[in-house]
């Protein structure tokens, strides 16, 4: 997880220096760890936890890779699709983890929070050498630091490749760092983070952070015994965000606004990003409404390596993107994930669930890889020993017994986790 976070948060700088010093292979070190974690996922979730869901998910991923190969039509796209999915297994391996015990990881997250903000503010006053630098990867011309504009303002991206990447890191690292900080730290650095996000022009992330700060203040004002149940309730109800694109299409579909309008990007998603892929899917592969069109479809493997690149549409929503790739099995999986959230005792997973579900309404989360890693991290509880025992008991596959809690965390029948005075 650390190698992916470091690579993606410093992606523009690393692309630039790896290219000019001919160290490009180092870019793929995190992917090598992802491959190792595929084996670790099989051991932890399938062999040790005996999770039937883990078995089905693994089979579905490889089945969807095959469907994606048939849909996209070449081995380069298949290789890119496989690489794209590797971060999933890293997040899934946190199935029985209590994130609070990963002290070094939390320190790194705090450092990345401060560095990400510093990078954005610095880029407002200094043109980095990687801004606009062109490099080639697998025959595709790219820019290490893309120069994008929103109205008359440049979308600042700090040390990252674009503003969406750095805004994700500011949001996610603020959430993980704020959990054990006092309210005054949260308010001060929350304000600093909002200023940095304004510089990135990422309206989605800015709005999500405001919502998180409001929720944080409300939770801190509650009696301690009510804080954890409230956080878990917010996490569970945040899954309603999955329905938001459907509602917005029904209400605002066909609406037209000017390119400089405040809600132009949202209307563009409603009319194009969220609808056109399904129109194309009806033409190209109608059965995909059930099976999905495979890993990589309507994602960057299709855009970069497939003969169907002309049909590619940027689907700016994580759940729509993933449904397009996996079909109905993904809906069933999400039903199990939501049920597993009822068993979750990790305050970090629950807090990120609340934030990422709202953030993912207008962001696909497959680029950078860290976005997909965080999503799989918050889903990981579905493979835990506790969830596996619960699901098997409900289906009569094993005799009822008290759910097994991760080391250091109470079972659901016991007391709720206590938070310290600051959190």
């Amino acid at each position: 997880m650390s190698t992916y976070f470091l690579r993606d948060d410093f992606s523009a700088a690393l692309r630039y220096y790896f290219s000019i010093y001919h160290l490009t292979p180092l870019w793929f070190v995190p992917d090598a760890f992802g491959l190792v974690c595929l084996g670790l996922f099989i051991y932890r979730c399938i062999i040790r936890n005996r999770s039937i869901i883990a078995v089905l998910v693994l089979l579905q991923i490889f089945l969807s890779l095959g469907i994606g190969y048939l849909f996209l039509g070449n081995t380069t796209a298949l290789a890119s699709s496989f690489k794209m999915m590797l971060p999933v297994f890293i997040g899934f391996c946190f199935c029985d983890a209590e994130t609070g015990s990963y002290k070094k990881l939390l320190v790194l997250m705090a450092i990345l929070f401060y560095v990400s903000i510093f990078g954005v503010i610095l880029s407002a006053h200094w043109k980095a050498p990687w801004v606009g630098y062109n490099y080639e990867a697998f025959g595709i011309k790219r820019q290490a630091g893309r120069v994008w504009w929103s109205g008359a303002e440049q979308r600042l991206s700090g040390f990252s490749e674009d503003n969406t990447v750095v805004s994700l890191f500011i949001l996610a690292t603020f959430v993980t760092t704020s959990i054990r900080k006092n309210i005054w730290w949260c308010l001060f650095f929350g304000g600093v983070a909002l200023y940095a996000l304004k510089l990135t022009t990422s309206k989605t992330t800015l709005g999500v952070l405001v919502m998180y700060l409001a929720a944080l203040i409300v939770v801190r004002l509650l009696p301690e015994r009510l804080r954890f149940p409230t956080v878990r309730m917010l996490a569970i109800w945040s899954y309603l965000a999955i329905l938001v694109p459907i509602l917005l299409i029904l209400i605002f579909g066909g609406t037209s606004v000017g390119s400089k309008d405040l809600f132009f990007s949202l209307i563009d998603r409603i009319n194009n990003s969220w609808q056109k892929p399904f129109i194309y899917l009806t033409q190209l592969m109608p059965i995909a409404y059930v099976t999905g069109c495979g890993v990589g479809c309507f994602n960057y493997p299709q855009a970069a390596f497939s003969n169907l690149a002309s049909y590619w549409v940027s689907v700016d929503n994580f759940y729509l993107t993933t449904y397009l790739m996996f079909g109905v099995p993904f809906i069933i999986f999400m039903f199990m994930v939501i049920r597993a959230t009822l068993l979750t005792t990790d305050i970090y997973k629950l807090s990120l669930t609340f934030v990422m579900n709202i953030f993912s309404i207008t962001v696909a989360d497959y680029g950078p890889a860290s976005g997909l890693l965080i999503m799989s991290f918050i889903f990981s509880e579905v493979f835990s020993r506790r969830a596996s025992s619960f699901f098997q008991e409900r289906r009569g596959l094993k005799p009822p017994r008290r759910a097994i809690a991760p080391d250091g965390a109470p079972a659901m029948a016991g007391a709720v986790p206590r938070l310290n005075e600051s959190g």
Side-chain angles (χ1 to χ4, degrees):
M1 181 179 277
S2 297
T3 58
Y4 269 105
F5 284 176
L6 286 167
R7 184 186 74 176
D8 292 344
D9 200 22
F10 294 92
S11 54
L14 289 177
R15 289 280 198 190
Y16 174 73
Y17 288 112
F18 284 172
S19 179
I20 64 175
Y21 290 114
H22 307 289
L23 298 172
T24 302
L26 293 178
W27 178 263
F28 302 101
V29 169
D31 301 304
F33 286 119
L35 192 60
V36 172
C37 285
L38 169 57
L40 188 61
F41 167 75
I42 293 172
Y43 169 72
R44 284 190 179 178
C45 301
I46 295 177
I47 297 175
R48 188 183 68 183
N49 292 356
R50 299 178 181 179
S51 171
I52 297 173
I53 299 174
V55 175
L56 296 175
V57 165
L58 185 63
L59 291 174
Q60 181 62 41
I61 288 174
F62 279 95
L63 174 62
S64 294
L65 281 167
I67 296 173
Y69 172 72
L70 295 175
F71 184 79
L72 299 177
N74 63 65
T75 54
T76 306
L78 174 64
S80 178
S81 299
F82 177 71
K83 175 182 171 293
M84 181 182 74
M85 293 304 296
L86 288 175
V88 163
F89 300 107
I90 297 177
F92 285 166
C93 284
F94 282 84
C95 55
D96 290 305
E98 285 297 315
T99 311
S101 65
Y102 288 81
K103 303 299 183 184
K104 293 179 181 178
L105 177 61
L106 294 177
V107 169
L108 174 63
M109 297 289 276
I111 293 172
L112 290 179
F113 171 69
Y114 298 122
V115 171
S116 298
I117 289 178
F118 172 75
V120 171
I121 296 175
L122 178 65
S123 62
H125 305 282
W126 171 65
K127 184 178 179 180
W130 53 79
V131 174
Y133 176 75
N134 293 307
Y135 67 96
E136 185 173 318
F138 299 103
I140 305 296
K141 293 285 186 180
R142 298 181 181 178
Q143 282 191 341
R146 281 174 277 187
V147 182
W148 289 2
W149 294 80
S150 177
E153 294 181 298
Q154 185 179 345
R155 296 181 173 182
L156 302 178
S157 55
F159 303 112
S160 302
E161 287 187 292
D162 61 56
N163 66 318
T164 303
V165 178
V166 72
S167 65
L168 167 64
F169 274 97
I170 291 173
L171 177 65
T173 55
F174 176 79
V175 171
T176 55
T177 306
S178 68
I179 288 172
R180 297 303 179 189
K181 296 292 187 179
N182 62 52
I183 189 66
W184 299 113
W185 183 96
C186 294
L187 292 177
F188 176 77
F189 281 102
V192 175
L194 289 172
Y195 171 70
L197 290 175
K198 183 178 182 298
L199 294 178
T200 69
T201 72
S202 178
K203 295 186 286 292
T204 294
T205 319
L206 188 70
V208 174
L209 184 54
V210 169
M211 294 177 67
Y212 174 75
L213 282 170
L216 184 147
I217 293 170
V218 171
V219 169
R220 297 290 177 92
L221 292 174
L222 294 173
E224 186 176 345
R225 63 184 176 82
L226 297 178
R227 292 179 183 177
F228 181 82
T230 303
V231 172
R232 183 152 56 190
M233 179 195 70
L234 289 171
I236 293 169
W237 282 101
S238 70
Y239 283 105
L240 287 175
I242 296 174
L243 303 176
V244 168
I246 300 173
L247 294 175
L248 291 177
I249 289 171
L250 292 174
I251 297 172
F252 298 107
T255 302
S256 178
V257 296
S259 60
K260 295 184 179 180
D261 190 276
L262 177 64
F263 297 103
F264 172 77
S265 60
L266 179 61
I267 295 299
D268 182 61
R269 286 176 171 88
I270 292 171
N271 292 329
N272 299 301
S273 174
W274 296 341
Q275 294 191 64
K276 282 188 176 179
F278 293 96
I279 296 172
Y280 294 151
L281 208 59
T282 302
Q283 301 170 5
L284 299 171
M285 191 179 181
I287 190 63
Y289 281 98
V290 177
T291 64
C293 51
V295 177
C297 74
F298 297 103
N299 216 314
Y300 60 81
Q302 178 177 342
F305 306 111
S306 173
N307 294 328
L308 299 176
S310 60
Y311 290 94
W312 174 78
V313 177
S314 178
V315 188
D316 294 321
N317 178 281
F318 171 78
Y319 290 103
L320 286 179
T321 301
T322 312
Y323 168 74
L324 285 164
M325 292 194 294
F326 292 97
V328 172
F330 177 65
I331 297 176
I332 299 171
F333 173 71
M334 285 310 305
F335 174 74
M336 305 302 288
V337 166
I338 294 170
R339 294 188 68 185
T341 305
L342 294 166
L343 305 172
T344 303
T345 58
D346 189 326
I347 190 71
Y348 292 89
K349 289 181 183 177
L350 292 172
S351 299
L352 282 172
T353 297
F354 170 70
V355 166
M356 291 302 293
N357 275 337
I358 302 172
F359 176 77
S360 299
I361 291 175
T362 60
V363 182
D365 289 329
Y366 281 86
S370 296
L372 181 58
L373 199 162
I374 295 173
M375 294 304 295
S376 63
F377 170 78
I378 67 177
F379 293 163
S380 63
E381 196 69 20
V382 75
F383 307 117
S384 66
R385 286 174 288 176
R386 181 175 7 192
S388 298
S389 297
F390 174 78
F391 291 141
Q392 290 178 31
E393 288 168 9
R394 293 297 296 270
R395 286 157 180 76
L397 299 178
K398 63 191 299 183
R401 63 188 180 91
R402 185 174 177 176
I404 301 173
D407 296 338
M412 287 301 295
V416 298
R418 286 185 58 81
L419 303 179
N420 63 18
E421 292 180 0
S422 67

